[in-house]
């Protein structure tokens, strides 16, 4: 598939099939991808790579295009070891959603591309979420865009310090596993593969724990259909870093 097959292509009689639930998606993909799981699909949705529709009950419903998009993502991970941000860029470019981001941007270009103002970027730099530099890469674009979107809900850069601290702790876990392998003679591939695997498992665990917590709080059922979001005026703002 990564050799030219585009997400959204249908196989056989799939075009006549109605949308299906997550169990049927797992059954269809598991032979090709034995490690596919509900939590991995939920993680890919949380990362914005897939957007299945939602039934009135709140359950995910996958159209043919959603399943083929999943297949493309999983193939790119397995065969090319691509990070999710690169896979998403490739999907967006293939679908004409957005042109590829330049590899490096000036400060003014970053502000223009993300819709941020100087104040929010300076705060993100102060709190360590964006590294202050003469030029900014794709990672900075993604962080700033997320921060701009979160501000609409009253979440300011200072509230994101906890997210940065959690990410730093997760990176430390990955390094504890990969560092001994990197010190061994020979290829660095075992260390790189271990780092990718551990990072992916931690990310899936994180997404699952967040979803479980929201479910226990009564905030995960009856979710809005994919592509719809509450407006900023409908979302309560944060009054402190603790959310109280």
């Amino acid at each position: 598939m990564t050799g030219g097959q585009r997400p959204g292509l249908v196989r056989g009689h799939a075009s006549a099939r109605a949308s299906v639930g997550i169990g049927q998606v797992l059954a269809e993909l598991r032979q090709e991808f034995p490690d596919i799981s509900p939590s991995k699909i939920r993680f890919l949705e949380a990362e914005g790579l897939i957007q299945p529709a939602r039934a009135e009950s709140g359950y995910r419903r996958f159209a043919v295009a959603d399943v083929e998009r999943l297949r493309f993502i999983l193939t790119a991970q397995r065969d090319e070891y691509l990070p999710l941000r690169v896979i998403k860029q490739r999907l967006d470019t293939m679908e004409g959603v957005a042109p590829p981001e330049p590899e490096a941007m000036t400060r003014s270009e970053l502000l223009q591309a993300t819709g941020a103002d100087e104040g929010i970027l300076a705060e993100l730099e102060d709190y360590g979420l964006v590294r202050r530099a003469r030029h900014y890469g794709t990672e900075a674009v993604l962080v700033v865009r997320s921060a701009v979107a979160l501000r609409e809900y009253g979440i300011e850069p200072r509230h994101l310090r906890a997210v940065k601290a959690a990410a730093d702790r997760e990176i430390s876990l990955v390094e504890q596993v990969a560092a001994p392998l990197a010190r061994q003679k020979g290829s660095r591939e075992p260390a790189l593969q271990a780092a990718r695997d551990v990072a992916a498992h931690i990310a899936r665990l994180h997404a699952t724990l967040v979803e479980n917590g929201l479910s226990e709080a009564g905030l995960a059922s009856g979710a809005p259909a994919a592509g719809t979001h509450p407006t900023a005026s409908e979302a309560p703002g944060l009054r402190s870093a603790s959310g109280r």
Side-chain angles (χ1 to χ4, degrees):
M1 175 169 303
T2 54
Q5 185 173 335
R6 296 168 65 94
L9 295 180
V10 297
R11 300 184 177 188
H13 301 290
S15 59
R17 185 187 69 186
S19 63
V20 298
I22 195 169
Q24 290 166 280
V25 173
L26 292 171
E28 181 172 336
L29 296 178
R30 185 157 281 148
Q31 185 171 356
E32 268 185 273
F33 309 99
D35 64 341
I36 187 70
S37 65
S39 62
K40 184 165 188 175
I41 292 177
R42 289 194 293 265
F43 170 70
L44 293 174
E45 181 182 5
E47 291 295 304
L49 277 86
I50 58 172
Q51 289 186 322
R54 296 274 185 162
E56 290 184 3
S57 61
Y59 289 108
R60 295 169 179 82
R61 302 297 299 177
F62 295 82
V64 173
D66 296 319
V67 177
E68 291 305 313
R69 188 178 178 95
L70 258 175
R71 183 177 275 112
F72 179 89
I73 294 166
L74 296 171
T75 301
Q77 285 185 305
R78 181 192 64 194
D79 296 350
E80 300 184 58
Y81 304 106
L82 295 178
L84 293 181
R85 64 177 179 79
V86 175
I87 296 174
K88 189 174 189 304
Q89 287 173 356
R90 183 177 292 185
L91 286 166
D92 288 347
T93 300
M94 290 170 64
E95 295 175 351
V97 173
E101 299 284 2
E103 292 186 2
M105 292 183 178
T106 64
R107 192 176 190 85
S108 60
E109 289 172 339
L110 176 63
L111 295 174
Q112 182 177 2
T114 59
D117 55 46
E118 178 63 38
I120 192 172
L121 177 55
E123 285 188 76
L124 291 170
E125 291 172 333
D126 289 342
Y127 294 125
L129 282 94
V130 173
R131 181 173 298 177
R132 186 176 282 106
R134 293 183 61 184
H135 292 90
Y136 300 84
T138 304
E139 295 84 357
V141 175
L142 297 176
V143 171
V144 176
R145 280 180 177 160
S146 295
V148 170
L150 289 169
R151 175 176 269 187
E152 293 296 315
Y153 297 91
I155 301 176
E156 299 290 340
R158 67 179 182 275
H159 301 129
L160 302 178
R161 288 178 293 180
V163 179
K164 177 65 166 61
D168 288 342
R169 290 192 294 269
E170 291 168 1
I171 292 168
S172 295
L173 287 175
V174 175
E175 290 176 338
Q176 289 175 29
V177 173
L181 296 173
R183 289 193 292 267
Q184 295 177 3
K185 294 181 179 180
S187 173
R188 286 179 53 84
E189 183 56 33
L192 297 176
Q193 182 62 56
R196 285 191 292 264
D197 289 346
V198 174
H201 286 304
I202 290 174
R204 285 196 293 272
L205 175 61
H206 183 98
T208 301
L209 292 174
V210 170
E211 182 163 328
N212 289 345
L214 291 175
S215 180
E216 291 174 1
L219 297 174
S221 60
T228 64
H229 304 281
T231 63
S233 61
E234 296 171 330
L238 295 186
R239 290 175 294 188
S240 70
S242 66
R244 293 185 177 90

